[in-house]
Amino acid sequence: IVWQTPANPDYIFRDGRNVKPYYFEFISHVKNRWAGKTIVDLFAEEFKGRPYDYYVSAVKCGRIQVDEEMVPVSYTVKSSQKISHFLHRHEPPVMAWDVSILQKEPDVLTVCKPPSVPVHPCGQYRKNTVVGILQAEHDLAPLFPVHRLDRLVSGLLILARNASKADLFRQQIEAGKVIKRYIARVNGVFPEGEQVVDVNINYNASAGRSTAEKGKAACTKFTRISTNGTHSIVLCEPITGRTHQIRVHLQYTGYPIANDMLYLCFSIDPICTNCPNLAPKGYEEEGLWLHCVRYSGPGWTYECPYPDWA
């Protein structure tokens, strides 16, 4: 069964929220170090995700253009020229949950972000993002995300509706005036009382994960809310905002998020095709048991309901 919203023909709901493939123009300008290379060599060397023959064909048929004109495959690019690459985009599916609006104000919009949906266009995602869905289904644009939630993390997301409001939030966050609260479901019986983890975090972009070692200062406060003897629901209050901070600090304490496949084990094989970025065959992606519940600052508080797993 395929169900498609008549008003939003971009989306098809079948085993998740799918985006119908579409053409999209990627625009870049020739960097100084690119100048003097042929158009085909430039793409083959800088964008290795496709074979050389693809770029030859793309230039010949006009899918790759320079200054909005077709060029021969032997064309040599010059600094600052505009390069257009017209791609047929196939976005990965995301979970078919709604992006529910919590509060709609003249300057601020708050929503409950579903897991698996990126906040804003990035990588392979553009329409299958919180910003893209809100524009398509609620005609809400422009929107300026105030804070970041990882793709698999759910919960409160604050979006400013103009640049000046976004800048105000940014200043308050950078000044340490914003209190952030998340909840996580972790393995084991988490200790009673407040636990403070003050351990530096280093993010390795190529590996897509962080480690508790020499890096940027990071501090998180944890307090157990409840436990059933197998798992615990833990309140997490990050004092700083490092990549994967809560996930790494919980792992460091010995109580990792119970379904966090990236941080449940250190046994990463550097040449394995499944570690750490590719899931094994048959793996069904689910939302991470980490959920943003409240952000508060000078004179304001925004909250989000708890998820079912909590």
Side-chain angles (χ1 to χ4, degrees):
I1 297 173
V2 177
W3 177 76
Q4 182 172 321
T5 311
N8 297 293
D10 286 346
Y11 298 106
I12 297 175
F13 293 83
R14 181 178 58 193
D15 298 327
R17 180 190 289 266
N18 294 264
V19 176
K20 292 175 66 175
Y22 58 94
Y23 287 99
F24 184 74
E25 180 185 9
F26 281 92
I27 297 174
S28 60
H29 291 84
V30 178
K31 307 177 190 296
N32 288 333
R33 65 183 177 85
W34 294 355
K37 295 182 180 180
T38 67
I39 187 68
V40 173
D41 286 346
L42 163 60
F43 272 88
E45 293 172 13
E46 297 292 336
F47 306 99
K48 301 178 187 288
R50 293 177 173 81
Y52 188 89
D53 289 344
Y54 164 82
Y55 293 119
V56 172
S57 299
V59 172
K60 285 182 176 179
C61 72
R63 291 284 183 88
I64 293 177
Q65 298 181 5
V66 179
D67 289 337
E68 301 181 359
E69 293 183 356
M70 293 180 64
V71 296
V73 294
S74 59
Y75 183 83
T76 301
V77 299
K78 303 174 184 64
S79 183
S80 300
Q81 283 184 308
K82 174 187 172 183
I83 297 180
S84 298
H85 187 190
F86 298 91
L87 271 180
H88 197 228
R89 297 197 74 175
H90 293 253
E91 294 193 26
V94 297
M95 295 172 72
W97 296 11
D98 289 334
V99 178
S100 55
I101 295 176
L102 301 172
Q103 231 169 319
K104 189 176 179 182
E105 302 172 356
D107 291 335
V108 180
L109 179 77
T110 60
V111 302
C112 186
K113 173 192 171 306
S116 88
V117 183
V119 172
H120 51 70
C122 58
Q124 300 178 74
Y125 299 90
R126 180 171 168 263
K127 296 184 179 183
N128 252 353
T129 62
V130 173
V131 171
I133 292 168
L134 288 171
Q135 180 173 2
E137 297 188 346
H138 299 278
D139 197 26
L140 288 166
L143 294 172
F144 304 84
V146 168
H147 59 103
R148 181 178 177 272
L149 293 180
D150 287 341
R151 186 176 65 85
L152 293 179
V153 176
S154 60
L156 175 69
L157 182 65
I158 305 172
L159 303 115
R161 302 185 68 182
N162 55 67
S164 59
K165 190 67 174 182
D167 190 55
L168 178 61
F169 278 121
R170 179 190 59 78
Q171 291 176 26
Q172 293 181 355
I173 291 173
E174 290 180 354
K177 296 180 179 179
V178 175
I179 299 172
K180 316 162 198 174
R181 289 192 170 185
Y182 294 72
I183 53 169
R185 183 172 175 175
V186 304
N187 277 344
V189 178
F190 197 86
E192 289 186 309
E194 184 178 273
Q195 311 291 317
V196 178
V197 179
D198 193 353
V199 176
N200 288 7
I201 286 180
N202 180 57
Y203 178 65
N204 185 328
S206 61
R209 68 199 312 264
S210 295
T211 51
E213 57 180 36
K214 287 183 178 180
K216 295 182 178 179
C219 181
T220 314
K221 293 192 297 184
F222 298 106
T223 307
R224 190 180 83 193
I225 297 174
S226 63
T227 183
N228 61 7
T230 302
H231 293 150
S232 300
I233 303 298
V234 177
L235 174 66
C236 316
E237 299 177 272
I239 309 304
T240 51
R242 309 302 181 198
T243 302
H244 295 185
Q245 174 175 321
I246 294 174
R247 299 166 70 179
V248 174
H249 277 176
L250 283 170
Q251 179 201 48
Y252 181 83
T253 65
Y255 301 90
I257 295 173
N259 69 343
D260 192 344
M261 303 307 295
L262 188 59
Y263 291 104
L264 276 172
C265 179
F266 281 113
S267 56
I268 299 297
D269 186 319
I271 65 170
C272 174
T273 57
N274 286 329
C275 299
N277 296 317
L278 298 178
K281 290 182 179 178
Y283 171 71
E284 294 289 337
E285 183 176 71
E286 62 177 330
L288 192 66
W289 285 341
L290 178 62
H291 184 86
C292 181
V293 291
R294 188 169 77 178
Y295 265 53
S296 58
W300 58 269
T301 298
Y302 295 108
E303 295 184 282
C304 184
Y306 277 27
D308 291 343
W309 52 258

